[in-house]
């Protein structure tokens, strides 16, 4: 287990350097291209209850996706964190998004203490769009190291009769040949980049 953790740590540091070398213009260009591909996916079009992460400057920009979800009358759920726990709670509109407080990581996030609809308590999710530090073509995902998404996904798989479709979104540079994984790591069903989408 120590070997896997160390290998993940090394890869995270390497990916952080690679992503830091991408210009804001290049990140924006790739994000726009990826958004167009996402909108064309049947799984995305047919899903009604969708979870989406609110991006940082070093991730694919998810704000155009968020706007599109509201414009197409989808039910939108976003992460909220407290300690090592993450829940997906409902976001009502772009106005609701704009009013969200900003965390110390400079990410907008609903307060954990707010009364909001919890996705897993009110019908589950059809589709989850996931962040990641790196992905492989066969669906392996390297997260940021806190285990939020893997814990949430494992809970989700236990509570839902139908597994949600999992889409990892990434810059081209985040596709890696292999990623060390453990038994608790949940692979994604599809890895989407500007250049292509990769089905597992």
């Amino acid at each position: 287990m120590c070997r896997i953790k160390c290998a993940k740590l090394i890869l995270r540091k390497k990916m952080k350097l690679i992503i830091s070398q991408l210009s804001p213009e290049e990140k924006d260009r790739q994000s726009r291209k990826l958004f167009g591909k996402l909108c064309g996916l049947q799984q995305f079009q047919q899903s009604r209850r969708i979870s989406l992460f609110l991006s940082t400057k070093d991730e694919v920009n998810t704000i155009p996706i968020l706007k599109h979800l509201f414009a197409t009358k989808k039910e939108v759920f976003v992460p909220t964190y407290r300690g090592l726990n993450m829940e997906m709670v409902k976001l009502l509109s772009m106005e609701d998004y704009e009013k969200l407080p900003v965390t110390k990581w400079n990410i907008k996030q609903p307060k954990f203490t707010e009364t909001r609809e919890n996705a897993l308590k009110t019908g589950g999710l059809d589709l989850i769009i996931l962040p990641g530090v790196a992905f492989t073509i066969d669906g392996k995902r390297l997260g940021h190291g806190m285990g939020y998404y893997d814990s949430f996904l494992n809970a989700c798989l236990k509570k839902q009769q139908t597994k949600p479709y999992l889409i990892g979104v990434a810059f081209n540079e985040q596709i890696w040949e292999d990623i060390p994984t453990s038994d608790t790591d949940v692979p994604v069903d599809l890895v989407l980049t500007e250049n292509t989408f990769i089905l597992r």
Side-chain angles (χ1 to χ4, degrees):
M1 184 59 71
C2 180
R3 180 181 59 82
I4 293 175
K5 285 185 177 180
C6 290
K8 286 184 176 183
L9 182 61
I10 291 169
L11 183 51
R12 284 190 189 100
K13 289 181 178 180
K14 187 178 292 186
M15 292 307 305
K16 184 177 180 179
L17 177 61
I18 290 171
I19 295 171
S20 72
Q21 293 172 342
L22 293 174
S23 68
E25 293 77 17
E26 177 61 14
K27 292 173 184 174
D28 182 63
R29 187 191 66 78
Q30 289 195 38
S31 294
R32 284 186 280 108
K33 290 281 189 178
L34 185 152
F35 171 61
K37 288 184 175 291
L38 178 67
C39 291
L41 291 175
Q42 185 178 30
Q43 294 93 339
F44 181 72
Q45 294 170 0
Q46 293 180 348
S47 294
R48 299 307 310 167
R49 293 167 62 90
I50 296 177
S51 162
L52 176 70
F53 68 98
L54 301 177
S55 54
T56 69
K57 63 181 180 63
D58 291 325
E59 295 173 319
V60 168
N61 182 8
T62 60
I63 301 306
I65 302 172
L66 185 65
K67 290 178 179 178
H68 179 79
L69 291 176
F70 288 127
T72 51
K73 309 299 182 185
K74 308 285 190 183
E75 291 186 71
V76 182
F77 296 85
V78 298
T80 183
Y81 307 86
R82 181 171 62 185
L84 295 177
N85 295 320
M86 180 179 80
E87 294 180 358
M88 292 295 175
V89 296
K90 196 164 193 177
L91 197 61
L92 300 175
S93 64
M94 285 307 297
E95 290 76 18
D96 190 16
Y97 164 77
E98 293 295 345
K99 293 176 183 177
L100 292 179
V102 177
T103 69
K104 62 182 179 181
W105 297 286
N106 202 33
I107 307 170
K108 282 182 173 289
Q109 174 190 306
K111 291 182 179 179
F112 207 90
T113 53
E114 280 187 67
T115 301
R116 287 181 179 265
E117 181 179 332
N118 184 311
L120 295 190
K121 295 179 180 178
T122 58
L125 294 162
D126 301 320
L127 184 146
I128 300 175
I129 298 173
L130 295 92
V133 176
F135 295 90
T136 66
I137 59 172
D138 61 348
K140 291 179 182 177
R141 171 184 168 272
L142 178 69
H144 290 280
M146 297 300 290
Y148 288 122
Y149 269 91
D150 288 313
S151 295
F152 176 80
L153 293 174
N154 279 298
C156 192
L157 295 176
K158 291 177 182 177
K159 291 187 178 183
Q160 291 192 207
Q161 290 186 341
T162 303
K163 174 185 171 292
Y165 195 76
L166 308 179
I167 299 179
V169 294
F171 298 119
N172 300 324
E173 291 77 6
Q174 291 177 276
I175 302 303
W176 214 247
E177 185 176 344
D178 194 23
I179 291 173
T181 57
S182 61
D183 293 340
T184 57
D185 293 330
V186 180
V188 298
D189 297 300
L190 183 149
V191 181
L192 187 63
T193 71
E194 169 216 0
N195 287 338
T196 187
F197 55 85
I198 306 161
L199 286 167
R200 187 166 65 84

